Amino acid sequence: MAKKDRTTDAAGEKDREKWMARFQVRLAMQPGVDRPVVLQAVKEVTTHCADTGEHPRAAFGDPDAYAVQVAARLVPADRAERARRQDTAVNTLDSVLKKAREITGL
């Protein structure tokens, strides 16, 4: 019986780690999110789960959706908008360069 409990605990821990990894990646991809924001959000989730014993999915839901919510809460709107504009400009430049390479055969 103890082996089954350990197996269940190991599976639960692995699921928690997968949730946290996905959450961190999705959060980092949000406009304007930097390392301090990710670290603060991870600390909040970790502390909550340690205090309550809840699984992050039970407490916060889908990691992708929660990452969007956290970014909206922790990143100032002007910084997020500036990051979006910068991403758009970089993507546009990449597209132009790709087309130029295709045309010139480089």
Side-chain angles (χ1 to χ4, degrees):
M1 182 111 181
K3 285 186 181 182
K4 185 175 180 183
D5 291 342
R6 287 185 195 150
T7 303
T8 303
D9 288 346
E13 183 60 32
K14 184 170 182 149
D15 190 45
R16 276 191 274 295
E17 290 173 3
K18 286 173 68 175
W19 190 97
M20 286 297 292
R22 177 134 185 149
F23 170 65
Q24 290 176 57
V25 168
R26 293 299 182 178
L27 181 58
M29 292 171 61
Q30 298 303 308
V33 171
D34 55 8
R35 189 168 192 267
V37 169
V38 173
L39 293 175
Q40 178 181 350
V42 167
K43 183 178 179 182
E44 289 174 1
V45 170
T46 303
T47 300
H48 175 83
C49 292
D51 290 348
T52 64
E54 284 183 288
H55 185 284
R57 185 173 304 281
F60 304 105
D62 179 64
D64 297 347
Y66 189 61
V68 172
Q69 291 173 11
V70 168
R73 179 172 51 90
L74 296 179
V75 177
D78 61 328
R79 187 167 88 192
E81 184 56 36
R82 194 169 42 252
R84 280 188 200 92
R85 283 194 308 269
Q86 182 178 7
D87 288 347
T88 300
V90 169
N91 290 340
T92 301
L93 180 59
D94 283 345
S95 177
V96 169
L97 290 173
K98 182 179 178 184
K99 287 178 184 177
R101 282 188 215 108
E102 289 172 358
I103 291 170
T104 61
L106 296 176

